[in-house]
Amino acid sequence: MATRTDAPTRREQILKEAARLFAERGFHGVGVDEIGAAVGISGPGLYRHFAGKDAMLAELLVGISGSLLTGAKQRLKEADGVAAPEAVLDSLIEGHIDFALDDRPLITLHDRELDRLRDSDRKLVRQLQRQYVELWVGVVRELYPELAEPAARSAVHSVFGLLNSTPHLTRPGSLPGRAGTAGLLHRMARGAFAAAGAR
């Protein structure tokens, strides 16, 4: 999957800093002035980009759920007819590990603040997440055909829990470098699926 290399837009900068601050201090512990200061504009200047903090939170949480789903679909499309199920699963795991290592504030934000979204936004997040899970379930069952669908779904959720544990590994030196951590997470994810698929 292609990696974006162009500079982030002002809107993206605001969202990145909002995610970091919300994850560090909680949604209600951060004001628009602080978010603005983090990107070099006034708090009121944020309203040229967003209606308010609620809109930022919604875009962050809906956005990452949509991004994960879009990325997974792209990986499946690229692998269609040319890759074995094992390689497809490896690709999905790699994509989620990139998220888990590069967007840790969003994991914290999802865990703590999802209930603050409007019902419609929260339902959209859940809908996108269900679709994402089902893509994984299909690939896992192709690799482990004897694994029943409910068990495969449980395994996928369990692996997400494992991969999404990265925000808790924040002490200096607690991670063995990005490549080492990515490799470790990948091996653990594959081991979990292999255990689930074992007779």
Side-chain angles (χ1 to χ4, degrees), residues 1 5 7 13 16 20 26 28 32 38 47 55 57 65 79 101 128 157 163 165 176 193 197:
M1 191 161 55
T5 57
Q13 292 172 341
K16 180 178 180 180
R20 179 183 64 80
H28 287 304
V32 292
Y47 294 110
L57 181 64
S65 296
L101 292 177
L128 293 167
H157 281 290
L163 299 179
S165 67
F193 283 127

Side-chain angles (χ1 to χ4, degrees), residues 16 78 97 131 141 157 161 169:
K16 180 178 180 180
E78 291 171 356
I97 287 173
Q131 292 177 49
R141 292 196 72 211
H157 281 290
L169 306 175

Side-chain angles (χ1 to χ4, degrees), residues 85-105:
E86 185 172 358
V88 178
L89 182 58
D90 281 337
S91 181
L92 288 177
I93 292 170
E94 288 164 8
H96 199 96
I97 287 173
D98 285 343
F99 157 66
L101 292 177
D102 298 338
D103 292 303
R104 288 189 279 171

Side-chain angles (χ1 to χ4, degrees), residues 2-24:
T3 300
R4 178 177 165 164
T5 57
D6 50 321
T9 65
R10 173 67 80 186
R11 189 179 181 87
E12 290 167 338
Q13 292 172 341
I14 292 168
L15 286 172
K16 180 178 180 180
E17 289 304 315
R20 179 183 64 80
L21 290 167
F22 291 159
E24 287 176 0

Side-chain angles (χ1 to χ4, degrees), residues 129-159:
Q129 290 174 339
R130 282 193 296 271
Q131 292 177 49
Y132 183 59
V133 167
E134 293 312 308
L135 288 180
W136 280 66
V137 169
V139 172
V140 169
R141 292 196 72 211
E142 192 173 354
L143 185 56
Y144 301 104
E146 295 184 5
L147 189 61
E149 188 173 302
R153 192 169 292 109
S154 294
V156 169
H157 281 290
S158 297
V159 167

Side-chain angles (χ1 to χ4, degrees), residues 95-126:
H96 199 96
I97 287 173
D98 285 343
F99 157 66
L101 292 177
D102 298 338
D103 292 303
R104 288 189 279 171
L106 290 176
I107 298 173
T108 301
L109 204 56
H110 179 277
D111 290 346
R112 291 182 187 166
E113 312 291 358
L114 180 64
D115 289 343
R116 298 193 190 282
L117 294 182
R118 294 179 306 175
D119 286 345
S120 58
D121 289 327
R122 188 166 57 251
K123 287 176 182 176
L124 178 55
V125 168
R126 293 300 192 195

